Structures are given as structure tokens and as C-alpha cells.
Amino acid sequence: MFDITTLSAADTSIVELVGGDDAPLYDDKGQRLSITVYGPGTKIYQRAQSRQQNLLVDKIKKRGKMDQSAEEKLAEQAEFLAACTVSFNGFTYPPAEGIGGAALFRKAYEDPAIGFIAAQVSNHINDWANFTKSSGQS
């Protein structure tokens, strides 16, 4: 019999960043800029997703509808992505100087001027293929 658990998803994956023009991003030493994230097979991701869904349900209960402002959507996405982020690799986010961890990640993901980063992380994190052991991404 085949042990299906040998196909388990990796806990983390690395998102190699590209700019708004789809060109790869590098630091001043020529290293790729990237972000390490937790994947959908982890409890961390599942808790973050559950929090996001609970917030949505609460809003529907309070307002009786699902209307959200652009700012609310951005904040919720930033919160989810920050909770699932392990690290920023090769770069800093100076506007959030003095803070770290999820608070730093959230500030960066909320910044519309670098919104292409949140979009990439969101697309990557929600694709199981990026966390398969055969993908070479982990």
C-alpha cells in the first residue's frame, strides 16, 4: 500500500518577488528578494484563514450585508498575509522602522505603493502547488 502522507505539503514556501513590471527584484548584492510564507497545510495558515472568515461573518451580522470599503479589504488581506509570513528575505520596510514580526509585515502589505508584493504573496500562498515537495519551492 502507498503511504499517502509522503505527498504532504511542505509547511513553508519562498515567494521570489518581481516588481510591478514583472522583472525579478534583487538586493544591492545581486540576491533575489523573497518572502517566506506558511502554506495552506499548516495550522498557522488555517488559524489566519479562520480569523479572516470569522471577521467577515461578524460584519455580515452587524451590517446585514457584505459591503466592504477598499481600505477594509486591504486591511483584512494584510492581516491574513502578515499572519502567514515567516520572513522578508533580503529587504527591509523602513516606514515601519522599530517594529518587527507580524506588525512589520502588515504595514508593508497595507502599503498601496508596493501593493504588487501583497498581490504576489496572496497568489502564491493560496496555491497548493507551491507547497508540494516536488515543486522545489520549499
Side-chain angles (χ1 to χ4, degrees):
M1 289 299 255
F2 179 73
D3 177 2
I4 195 71
T5 63
T6 62
L7 301 176
S8 297
D11 286 347
T12 61
S13 181
I14 296 174
V15 183
E16 290 188 330
L17 299 176
V18 296
D21 59 358
D22 285 335
L25 297 178
Y26 297 94
D27 68 12
D28 52 6
K29 295 177 185 156
Q31 299 294 311
R32 282 295 299 267
L33 301 184
S34 64
I35 297 176
T36 304
V37 293
Y38 289 106
T42 64
K43 290 192 184 309
I44 292 167
Y45 177 101
Q46 292 164 4
R47 278 193 299 266
Q49 188 175 51
S50 179
R51 273 195 309 269
Q52 190 177 40
Q53 290 168 346
N54 289 341
L55 285 171
L56 186 59
V57 168
D58 288 346
K59 282 183 183 171
I60 292 170
K61 285 179 183 176
K62 287 179 184 173
R63 297 181 186 171
K65 56 187 175 185
M66 235 173 67
D67 288 353
Q68 285 185 293
S69 68
E71 292 80 16
E72 287 173 320
K73 286 180 185 176
L74 180 64
E76 284 181 20
Q77 179 190 34
E79 183 72 29
F80 172 74
L81 295 176
C84 295
T85 298
V86 177
S87 62
F88 285 171
N89 310 313
F91 68 97
T92 61
Y93 182 68
E97 190 174 322
I99 62 173
L104 166 70
F105 304 146
R106 186 174 44 256
K107 287 281 189 196
Y109 292 135
E110 287 176 339
D111 186 340
I114 55 171
F116 58 90
I117 292 175
Q120 288 171 67
V121 174
S122 181
N123 288 337
H124 185 94
I125 205 169
N126 290 308
D127 186 348
W128 279 90
N130 292 319
F131 298 88
T132 61
K133 290 185 169 89
S134 63
S135 73
Q137 292 284 331
S138 301

